[in-house]
Amino acid sequence: MTYKYRVENMKCAGCVSTVKSALEAIPGIESAEVDLETAMATLEGEADAAIILKTLEEAGYPGSPAE
């Protein structure tokens, strides 16, 4: 399954790396692509949305599901 999230507060490549690592550490997530320019994260795998949002918040980058 593919999930897309808007990610706030990303300012540089280091931010992208932090978000990508945090998301890929979630059990069930196979891969994460994070784009600084669009402020979007695209995830492949299976995970509960609440866990994804909590992970982003804890990393310092609040997110919301993209429609």
Side-chain angles (χ1 to χ4, degrees):
M1 181 169 249
T2 301
Y3 304 91
K4 291 188 181 243
Y5 286 85
R6 286 182 180 74
V7 183
E8 299 175 27
N9 299 340
M10 292 192 302
K11 308 267 190 254
C12 65
C15 297
V16 170
S17 179
T18 299
V19 170
K20 180 176 173 65
S21 294
L23 292 171
E24 288 181 337
I26 298 171
I29 296 298
E30 298 165 12
S31 68
E33 295 299 322
V34 182
D35 188 299
L36 178 62
E37 188 173 310
T38 62
M40 295 289 291
T42 304
L43 313 176
E44 294 290 336
E46 294 289 331
D48 185 81
I51 293 171
I52 294 168
L53 292 172
K54 182 178 181 200
T55 298
L56 288 169
E57 184 74 35
E58 288 176 350
Y61 302 92
S64 60
E67 298 299 324

